Amino acid sequence: MEPPAQESPDDSPGFDGVAAALVGEDGRVTWWSRAAGRLLGWSGEEALGTPARDLVAADAPTLVGPHAAPGSREAERVHRLRLRHRDGHLVPATVRLLAADGAPGTLAVAVPEDVGPGPATGPTLVRALLEQDRVPVAQFDMGLRVVRTNAAFEELRPEGADDDWLTRLPSVEGDGVAREALAQVAESGTVVAASEYGLGPPGSEVGLFLTCLRVDGPLGEPLGVVVTAREVTPRQRARRRLGKAYERAFHLGSSLDVVHSARDLAQVLVPDLGDLASVDFPDDVLQGRDPPLGYPGQEASAPRRVAVKAADGQWPAALVQVGEAVPTTPEGPQTAGKIVGEVLAAGPGTARQILGHDPELIARLVPEGMRDSLGCPLYHGGRFFGYVQVYRTRDPKPFEYDDVRFLQDMCHRTAGALDNAFRYAREHRTALVLQRSLLPPAATESSAAETAGSYLPASGSASVGGDWFDAFPLSSLRTALVVGDVIGHGLQATATMARARTAVQTLADLDLPPEELLTCLDDLVQRMKAEADHPDSVGASCLFAVYDPVSQECRLASAGHPPPAVVLPDGTVSFLDLTPGPLLGVGDNPFEVTSVRLPPGCVLVLYTDGLVGHDPEAGMARLLEDLEKLCRPAPGLRAEDAHKPLDQVSAELIRRHPSAEHPDDDVTVLLARTRAVPASDTASWEYPADPAAVQAAREDVSAQLETWGLVEESFTTELIVSELVTNAIRYAGGPISLRLIRDHVLVCEVSDPSNTQPRLRRALTTDEGGRGLFLVAQLAHRWGSRYGDRGKTIWTEQELQRGPAAGTPLALS
């Protein structure tokens, strides 16, 4: 596009008052702005066609030409030049060469270094700073070489120092020397404000606050770095030191461990406040007892040193050491500050006077060379938690008001943390006692399985959670295995766990299948959420399993719980493949049941997510590896002796947990080694819905009991069977199934196709019937009913007065 052969208006888009010219590929001006005409005095007609070289001083480098192709790196340069005015004088300006967009040639944009009235540009501002004599100022170029300094800056120059003395000053924060900060400012343009550097030898109080900023030219090109300096006064240094100490004290009080809190306090006080610091706690605090209200006195408090810190890293051997009891000192008016919670400031003379000039006490409590000391009690809520002492041995200056305030703030914060730790400990103990009281015995024995459980409560900042496990007998020698995990921690989670565990036992007593039991439990948790102040914090996962030693079948259902592991008798370990449902409290989703056959000697491993940790995949792989090692049968031994006891295995699984010392979540494990009832201890029959079946059932039962050597139980059992079979024929129809199971009890089961629930009632004297179930309840030790896939089963249990006959041993394995 051919540019216009005339001046452009100043309001052209992108060129509002900008002195600019377009130089063609032949080096001649093809376009000229009005601002350029005002800057150099050349009109557009005079400038058009003029070689660009003629518009700059004779000693200037070649600006444009055939080598500066548009869009090339050479076409984007910045030069500080002197341009030729029409009347002959030279105009200093910064010229930026840009590739022209849409036209051949190079666009030259000029900005004069002195633009007259208005805000000062970078170079002008630097000159103004250098011309004043109150603030020390130094200008460095981009190579960090000194360009100019003012008189105030020269007064700071150490005697005999060269021009680079400032760049070699060390940072008091240990961040290197000043040159590194200047280089960062020059490179990035960031500002370093009031950074402190030492001016004298190490340990000297003399220093400078340096503020460094980069100076850019009119077109944004970096020109150098300007540094302003200000001497550091002793009071400024002290306030800055305490300010840094406050920053380092940000984490103070974050620990729930009282000894750790004492160590944190000593770390903050030394060396920022003094050279030595000690923290003493009364015996109540160290023993975990709530301190009484008020100051109990030295003898009653029995203080002991729990933390010390020395600036040189070595606590004086003559002073009271960590773990030692603090000697009793005389109490008088000067020590009354400990009672009312005030800071006690004492120099060497006052300290000796307080100690009654006792040489032994002075040697144990006053460091050698002490110049000043501060003592502050730890009070919170009117309770005395300890005493803090800070000494200065190398610093000759006495403690000031700011130091006293700092010590008070740190002690107040620490005392608050100690009080929080005690409140946490109280709740933790209460929740732990409640939790353990609700858990079943660690080991149980039944005809179906041998079980062992282990529970490790969370520690640290996490309170006791709502993990639980349970193992209890069901009808027909079956056993129920439960493990659950309530959302959250603390007393609320423990209370929720108690309600959930009680509900599981109640629902299981109704002989509900696992999937129906979890559905009813889910309804309960939903009601608990509706009653809670924070519904989102109520919920739980649960795994419920029922093992039948007769059929050797295990039926499981999961509500968002990790799958259990199974260790086969040969030591093979794997996880069961079951479909978990949603967490309890979510609702609207059915739970699926999984059936698996577990031969005798299998170990079913139920656990909560605390055992596998925050990385379930890695945790479950670790669990399989541990189970393979712990449950591998020992070669050459009998089957019953080849495996480790379950209580040892569960304890070892807990011990092998990566965070066993300080777990951040409850860890719960329940192990169950399955057993089986031999086929010889069961007998079953099936009858039609015919009244004659009652007599047949009595005869079959009598014959079987005689075979088992249970003749004494025949009359009672025949009567029970007669009543149950009669009711089944009368109210349910056929076919009717009868089964006997011999164990430590005699189980009698009658199954029919009806889903009608039997009810026990007391018949009136005028009633002709209705006494069957009442009679059964009187004869049996326990009785009940449960639903199956088709129909129901009524069962009874009779306690056996003696074991089986000789030659027919009772097998539980």
Side-chain angles (χ1 to χ4, degrees):
M1 180 180 69
E2 189 67 24
Q6 57 193 30
E7 295 176 317
S8 69
D10 287 351
D11 57 355
S12 298
F15 292 97
D16 297 343
V18 177
L22 184 63
V23 182
E25 295 181 353
D26 58 356
R28 296 179 178 274
V29 177
T30 60
W31 179 80
W32 187 259
S33 72
R34 291 183 179 178
R38 288 195 299 270
L39 177 63
L40 301 181
W42 302 92
S43 66
E45 295 178 354
E46 294 172 331
L48 293 177
T50 303
R53 180 63 185 172
D54 295 343
L55 298 177
V56 298
D59 58 351
T62 301
L63 295 182
V64 293
H67 65 282
S72 68
R73 295 175 63 105
E74 291 295 327
E76 296 185 2
R77 295 174 294 173
V78 178
H79 298 273
R80 299 181 65 185
L81 305 174
R82 292 180 298 166
L83 303 180
R84 295 173 58 86
H85 197 272
R86 191 173 186 278
D87 60 10
H89 75 274
L90 299 178
V91 179
T94 299
V95 179
R96 181 181 293 272
L97 303 181
L98 304 169
D101 186 11
T106 302
L107 182 66
V109 180
V111 177
E113 290 194 2
D114 190 358
V115 297
T121 61
T124 304
L125 178 61
V126 172
R127 284 198 297 271
L129 287 173
L130 290 167
E131 289 173 359
Q132 57 81 40
D133 56 1
R134 299 184 63 181
V135 179
V137 180
Q139 181 183 4
F140 295 80
D141 61 16
M142 293 299 291
L144 302 184
R145 294 178 293 271
V146 177
V147 177
R148 285 176 291 183
T149 61
N150 64 357
F153 185 86
E154 291 300 324
E155 292 180 2
L156 298 177
R157 183 194 296 266
E159 185 177 353
D162 56 17
D163 288 343
D164 293 332
W165 66 272
L166 182 70
T167 62
R168 294 194 296 270
L169 295 182
S171 170
V172 297
E173 300 294 335
D175 298 333
V177 295
R179 172 175 285 274
E180 297 174 5
L182 267 64
Q184 180 183 357
V185 172
E187 178 180 357
S188 64
T190 57
V191 177
V192 174
S195 183
E196 187 177 353
Y197 292 86
L199 188 58
S204 173
E205 292 290 329
V206 183
L208 294 176
F209 287 128
L210 300 183
T211 298
C212 314
L213 65 155
R214 192 176 73 182
V215 178
D216 296 335
L219 297 181
E221 72 280 7
L223 303 179
V225 178
V226 172
V227 178
T228 64
R230 180 164 55 90
E231 289 188 275
V232 180
T233 65
R235 185 166 183 80
Q236 288 173 330
R237 182 180 291 274
R239 288 189 173 183
R240 187 175 182 84
R241 170 174 47 82
L242 290 180
K244 295 294 183 182
Y246 273 109
E247 293 178 5
R248 282 191 286 271
F250 180 78
H251 71 284
L252 199 62
S254 60
S255 174
L256 292 174
D257 183 88
V258 295
V259 175
H260 190 77
S261 296
R263 293 171 181 168
D264 287 345
L265 177 59
Q267 292 286 340
V268 171
L269 298 179
V270 177
D272 291 320
L273 188 62
D275 303 311
L276 298 170
S278 63
V279 183
D280 306 330
F281 282 167
D283 186 63
D284 285 337
V285 173
L286 293 176
Q287 296 301 324
R289 299 187 295 266
D290 285 336
L293 290 172
Y295 179 61
Q298 292 187 62
E299 292 187 3
S301 63
R304 190 171 295 272
R305 187 142 296 175
V306 293
V308 296
K309 177 67 183 300
D312 59 2
Q314 186 66 38
W315 182 255
L319 298 181
V320 179
Q321 302 296 309
V322 172
E324 294 182 352
V326 179
T328 302
T329 60
E331 296 187 359
Q334 292 174 312
T335 61
K338 182 183 293 186
I339 301 176
V340 298
E342 296 294 333
V343 175
L344 173 63
T350 304
R352 289 181 172 85
Q353 182 181 356
I354 292 174
L355 297 177
H357 299 283
D358 186 330
E360 185 176 348
L361 288 178
I362 293 174
R364 296 282 285 162
L365 298 175
V366 179
E368 185 177 353
M370 186 194 83
R371 299 173 183 268
D372 202 3
S373 69
L374 289 178
C376 184
L378 299 172
Y379 274 103
H380 189 86
R383 301 180 188 274
F384 177 74
F385 286 93
Y387 198 75
V388 179
Q389 195 79 29
V390 185
Y391 306 94
R392 282 184 178 173
T393 57
R394 295 182 298 179
D395 191 346
K397 295 182 302 183
F399 289 106
E400 299 178 347
Y401 175 75
D402 290 341
D403 300 322
V404 174
R405 288 291 304 272
F406 175 75
L407 180 60
Q408 286 179 321
D409 290 345
M410 296 302 102
C411 290
H412 178 72
R413 186 180 302 182
T414 303
L418 294 174
D419 184 66
N420 289 337
F422 271 81
R423 284 191 292 176
Y424 162 78
R426 287 193 297 269
E427 179 177 329
H428 188 274
R429 286 195 300 268
T430 303
L432 186 58
V433 170
L434 179 60
Q435 179 90 328
R436 291 193 181 279
S437 67
L438 294 171
L439 294 178
T444 62
E445 294 277 348
S446 71
S447 302
E450 167 199 2
T451 67
S454 294
Y455 170 71
L456 179 65
S459 64
S461 60
S463 183
V464 176
D467 287 17
W468 90 92
F469 66 88
D470 208 349
F472 50 88
L474 298 175
S475 62
S476 304
L477 305 182
R478 297 172 305 151
T479 190
L481 304 172
V482 192
V483 65
D485 185 1
V486 172
I487 294 176
H489 294 270
L491 286 174
Q492 181 63 43
T494 304
T496 303
M497 178 273 286
R499 297 179 65 181
R501 178 173 181 261
T502 303
V504 168
Q505 291 184 341
T506 302
L507 295 171
D509 195 49
L510 298 176
D511 268 326
L512 296 179
E515 66 275 20
E516 293 186 21
L517 183 143
L518 290 184
T519 300
C520 295
L521 189 61
D522 179 69
D523 294 338
L524 171 65
V525 176
Q526 290 187 64
R527 289 196 298 271
M528 294 167 61
K529 291 181 66 174
E531 299 169 358
D533 295 333
H534 304 284
D536 293 341
S537 64
V538 178
S541 66
C542 182
L543 178 68
F544 184 77
V546 176
Y547 176 70
D548 187 343
V550 177
S551 64
Q552 301 177 21
E553 180 187 34
C554 184
R555 293 169 57 85
L556 310 95
S558 171
H561 206 81
V566 173
V567 184
L568 297 180
D570 61 359
T572 304
V573 185
S574 63
F575 287 105
L576 290 182
D577 185 15
L578 73 163
T579 303
L583 291 172
L584 297 176
V586 175
D588 299 330
N589 287 289
F591 298 96
E592 295 187 21
V593 66
T594 299
S595 297
V596 60
R597 187 178 184 278
L598 298 179
C602 290
V603 177
L604 190 63
V605 184
L606 286 71
Y607 55 92
T608 57
D609 56 3
L611 183 66
V612 296
H614 298 293
D615 186 353
E617 184 175 352
M620 293 174 72
R622 184 184 67 249
L623 176 59
L624 287 181
E625 182 179 350
D626 291 341
L627 289 173
E628 288 178 355
K629 296 178 181 177
L630 296 173
C631 298
R632 182 182 299 119
L637 297 178
R638 294 184 307 169
E640 56 269 25
D641 301 326
H643 297 90
K644 287 185 178 180
L646 289 186
D647 56 349
Q648 295 183 15
V649 176
S650 64
E652 185 65 18
L653 285 176
I654 296 290
R655 191 191 67 80
R656 291 177 178 237
H657 190 274
S659 304
E661 294 296 329
H662 301 285
D664 56 2
D665 194 8
D666 289 8
V667 181
T668 305
V669 179
L670 176 62
L671 306 181
R673 180 172 285 135
T674 59
R675 294 169 173 169
V677 175
S680 59
D681 288 332
T682 64
S684 59
W685 303 270
E686 188 169 309
Y687 306 101
D690 185 348
V694 177
Q695 181 61 30
R698 293 172 63 98
E699 294 175 355
D700 291 337
V701 167
S702 178
Q704 186 62 52
L705 293 181
E706 184 177 358
T707 302
W708 283 344
L710 301 176
V711 178
E712 294 183 5
E713 284 76 16
S714 294
F715 176 77
T716 302
T717 308
E718 288 180 26
L719 188 55
I720 291 174
V721 169
S722 177
E723 291 295 336
L724 295 181
V725 173
T726 300
N727 285 344
I729 294 173
R730 179 177 299 176
Y731 301 111
I736 300 169
S737 299
L738 171 64
R739 184 172 71 164
L740 295 180
I741 306 173
R742 180 187 62 161
D743 199 80
H744 64 288
V745 294
L746 179 63
V747 179
C748 177
E749 296 178 343
V750 175
S751 302
D752 60 59
S754 173
N755 289 323
T756 303
Q757 178 74 25
R759 292 186 302 151
L760 177 66
R761 66 184 183 89
R762 183 179 296 272
L764 300 177
T765 56
T766 57
D767 291 341
E768 296 182 0
R771 297 174 179 82
L773 284 181
F774 179 79
L775 182 62
V776 169
Q778 297 299 312
L779 295 174
H781 174 65
R782 289 201 315 154
W783 79 279
S785 65
R786 64 176 180 269
Y787 292 105
D789 295 336
R790 291 184 300 175
K792 67 178 182 297
T793 298
I794 301 178
W795 56 268
T796 64
E797 289 183 2
Q798 298 169 253
E799 290 185 332
L800 297 180
Q801 299 300 322
R802 57 185 177 85
T808 55
L810 186 63
L812 296 178
S813 61

